[in-house]
Amino acid sequence: MNDRLPYLAVFGLLLGMFLAMLDGLIVGTALPTIVGDLGGLDHLPWVVTAYMLAGAATTPIWGKLGDLYGRKITFIAAIALFQAGSVLSGLARDMGQLIAFRAVQGLGAGGLMVGALAIIGVLVPPRHSGRLQSMIGVIMPIAYVGGPLAGGLLTDYLSWRWTFYVNLPFGAVALLIIATRIHLPPIERVKVRIDYGGAALLTTAIVALTLLSSWGGTTYSWFSPQILALAAGGVLALAAFVAVERRAAEPVIPPRLFHDRDFTLAQILSFLLGAIMLSVTNYLPQYMQFVQGTSPTLSGMLLLPLMFGMLGAQLITGHLISRNGRYRRYPILGGALTIAGTLALLLLEAGTAAAAASALSLLVGAGMGLVTQSTTLITMNSADPRDMGAASGTLTLLRTIGGSLGIALLGGLYAGNMRADLSARLGPAAAERLTAGGELTPHLLPDLPAAAGEAVREAVTSGLHGLLIGAAVLALIAFAASWLVRETPLREHPPARAEPAVTGPEQRERRDGGEAARLSAEKAT
């Protein structure tokens, strides 16, 4: 397997990952038009948050199901569910339906990234994963560059609904390739118990914390009974989740994974990166459309520097790590570039030229690409092959939770700054009339009086600045954490055989004892 990679099989896996990538990016440029059609500006973040929440809640479950029952069949099931959610989202008739169907889509998306990463982790050893960049070089530009462009084109010339329908042909091809070309070592079939308690507590904690970050300071004050209850509920659910996972026979997130410091740091970096990436890529198009007056298509084109920066950083990092096996420098450099990139975007003003606004996004894209690539490799290298599904699921989970909480919290900063600035310029009553009921869309601006239109553009810019300051703080935390990463040699070979998915107490004790002995021997040498 080292010398001859299963390229067609890996292409099918990457195509499955592409579905999740494309959906997040292609919808971003369509969001203002969706709100203009369905109304509900106040619920705009939930079009993204519902998708992210559902994905985050189910990601570790998909990973564990893959470890227990077979990674191929669970990956196929995830694609099928994602496709069903795409159809339903395209058929939505109001904002409530769209949010609900996006949650269905997210249930399937939770298994796409984790499933593909887990299967690749079995097929290809970390040291040689850089050779996959030739395949990723085909898929990633289409998602990162073509996604926003396709979203704008479909919205302008067909309908925003086609931003969901476009998933169907890609999903069909991915299903065909995976069904016929993926061949994995058999998993030992044994009687297992799913950790339903842990999954329920994790879901409760994620929902509570996301609602807390979304509603705090906007819908409710930070010290209101509703927010205090959500905070208490989230903390208690997290504490109970940790206690349950320590006792569960097969936890959805095995605590032993976090015994490795690099694994833990990779998850922290992924969490922070998810918050920054999703917030920036979803709110920059709004600035482009409201302030620069661009169409959805052109706003997607103006994100090209960000996408190319991210893509180029991933390709170069993958090649360099594959060549020399060294990776510690890349999360550090990525954190530094992300800080610089978010601060550079603070130069954006209402009068900034569109080309300059577009070019300023290059730096933050490069920083995010460096962190994305290195944290994935660190996670795969730190996990034992028997936990590959749980490890990749945890990575995707933390990135997804980060994105969900980030777009809720940083989106709240955006909305709060925008409303405050608009109220200061036009008065509270006029600002409320503009923002209530989904009336404030880019198509409305030409019909507004000149003073009101200028006030809206300044307010949107102020909202973006609030979001970027929050993103810079998160990037600073990521930069500090990245210095703690240690350099560990990357594995040269994939696992020779699949470990049993689950064993009885005696076998599990013997297995864990053997693992401890192996680690002790490695440290001794």
Side-chain angles (χ1 to χ4, degrees):
M1 190 69 68
N2 289 358
D3 299 323
R4 187 162 174 250
L5 297 178
Y7 285 113
L8 184 58
V10 171
F11 175 79
L13 294 170
L14 293 176
L15 195 56
M17 296 170 66
F18 167 78
L19 289 172
M21 296 178 198
L22 183 73
D23 193 73
L25 294 164
I26 201 172
V27 171
T29 51
L31 285 177
T33 303
I34 292 173
V35 172
D37 187 13
L38 300 182
L41 177 65
D42 289 340
H43 301 299
L44 172 63
W46 284 100
V47 176
V48 178
T49 301
Y51 175 84
M52 302 299 292
L53 266 178
T58 56
T59 288
I61 299 174
W62 283 110
K64 179 54 67 174
L65 289 175
D67 287 342
L68 297 178
Y69 297 114
R71 298 183 178 104
K72 176 178 174 178
I73 189 63
T74 53
F75 190 56
I76 289 174
I79 294 177
L81 185 58
F82 179 85
Q83 296 286 78
S86 298
V87 173
L88 291 171
S89 296
L91 296 174
R93 298 300 173 187
D94 56 51
M95 187 61 76
Q97 287 185 7
L98 179 60
I99 292 171
F101 295 149
R102 284 282 282 167
V104 174
Q105 201 179 16
L107 292 176
L112 296 182
M113 294 291 289
V114 58
L117 289 174
I119 295 174
I120 289 174
V122 172
L123 291 177
V124 184
R127 177 62 188 268
H128 298 285
S129 62
R131 296 169 63 186
L132 293 178
Q133 298 310 316
S134 59
M135 301 292 291
I136 297 175
V138 175
I139 296 297
M140 300 289 275
I142 300 174
Y144 285 171
V145 178
L149 289 176
L153 288 169
L154 291 171
T155 302
D156 281 340
Y157 296 105
L158 290 175
S159 166
W160 60 264
R161 299 180 186 278
W162 279 94
T163 61
F164 300 108
Y165 296 148
V166 75
N167 292 326
L168 302 181
F170 295 107
V173 174
L175 284 172
L176 178 64
I177 294 175
I178 292 163
T180 60
R181 296 293 181 175
I182 296 291
H183 305 289
L184 299 177
I187 289 180
E188 182 179 321
R189 298 290 180 177
V190 293
K191 186 175 181 180
V192 299
R193 289 183 299 172
I194 301 296
D195 182 17
Y196 293 111
L201 288 168
L202 179 62
T203 302
T204 300
I206 293 170
V207 171
L209 294 176
T210 303
L211 290 175
L212 171 69
S213 59
S214 179
W215 289 346
T218 54
T219 305
Y220 304 103
S221 71
W222 284 107
F223 298 101
S224 65
Q226 294 89 341
I227 296 301
L228 293 176
L230 284 172
V235 171
L236 289 175
L238 278 178
F241 172 72
V242 172
V244 167
E245 295 302 275
R246 290 181 179 275
R247 297 194 304 269
E250 283 297 325
V252 290
I253 300 180
R256 60 179 172 267
L257 288 172
F258 293 91
H259 295 166
D260 187 290
R261 186 174 81 175
D262 281 357
F263 179 90
T264 302
L265 288 169
Q267 309 320 301
I268 294 172
L269 293 175
S270 292
F271 176 86
L272 297 170
L273 176 72
I276 297 168
M277 182 166 58
L278 194 69
S279 299
V280 171
T281 55
N282 274 280
Y283 280 94
L284 266 182
Q286 296 202 44
Y287 166 82
M288 298 297 185
Q289 293 181 43
F290 275 104
V291 180
Q292 299 293 340
T294 63
S295 66
T297 300
L298 186 55
S299 70
M301 293 182 67
L302 291 174
L303 287 182
L304 287 180
L306 185 151
M307 302 307 174
F308 275 127
M310 193 171 181
L311 170 63
Q314 287 184 308
L315 291 172
I316 294 170
T317 304
H319 173 73
L320 293 176
I321 292 176
S322 178
R323 188 174 66 181
N324 57 33
R326 302 183 67 85
Y327 56 81
R328 181 176 180 268
R329 67 193 68 171
Y330 300 112
I332 296 173
L333 179 59
L337 288 179
T338 304
I339 294 172
T342 51
L343 294 178
L345 287 172
L346 287 173
L347 297 174
L348 295 177
E349 299 292 347
T352 304
S358 177
L360 285 172
S361 67
L362 175 65
L363 202 57
V364 71
M368 292 190 297
L370 286 169
V371 179
T372 299
Q373 183 73 2
S374 55
T375 52
T376 300
L377 285 172
I378 292 170
T379 297
M380 295 298 100
N381 190 58
S382 302
D384 189 88
R386 64 191 166 105
D387 290 324
M388 199 63 70
S392 57
T394 303
L395 176 74
T396 307
L397 169 68
L398 268 295
R399 191 173 295 164
T400 304
I401 294 176
S404 178
L405 294 177
I407 200 168
L409 181 61
L410 299 183
L413 292 176
Y414 173 93
N417 277 22
M418 188 189 77
R419 289 177 185 274
D421 192 274
L422 200 60
S423 296
R425 294 175 184 276
L426 299 178
E432 179 64 26
R433 284 195 301 271
L434 278 175
T435 57
E439 296 180 9
L440 186 57
T441 65
H443 299 293
L444 175 68
L445 292 185
D447 299 327
L448 292 177
E454 183 62 24
V456 169
R457 283 186 281 272
E458 293 286 352
V460 169
T461 303
S462 175
L464 182 65
H465 285 175
L467 180 145
L468 291 171
I469 291 171
V473 172
L474 297 181
L476 180 61
I477 297 172
F479 176 69
S482 65
W483 283 93
L484 300 176
V485 172
R486 295 178 296 191
E487 197 92 66
T488 303
L490 296 175
R491 286 198 305 269
E492 295 278 355
H493 305 286
R497 62 182 179 84
E499 292 283 349
V502 181
T503 59
E506 298 84 359
Q507 293 132 314
R508 185 160 52 249
E509 181 178 352
R510 185 167 60 251
R511 181 192 67 190
D512 291 341
E515 177 69 7
R518 181 184 66 80
L519 292 175
S520 297
E522 287 182 358
K523 290 179 180 179
T525 58

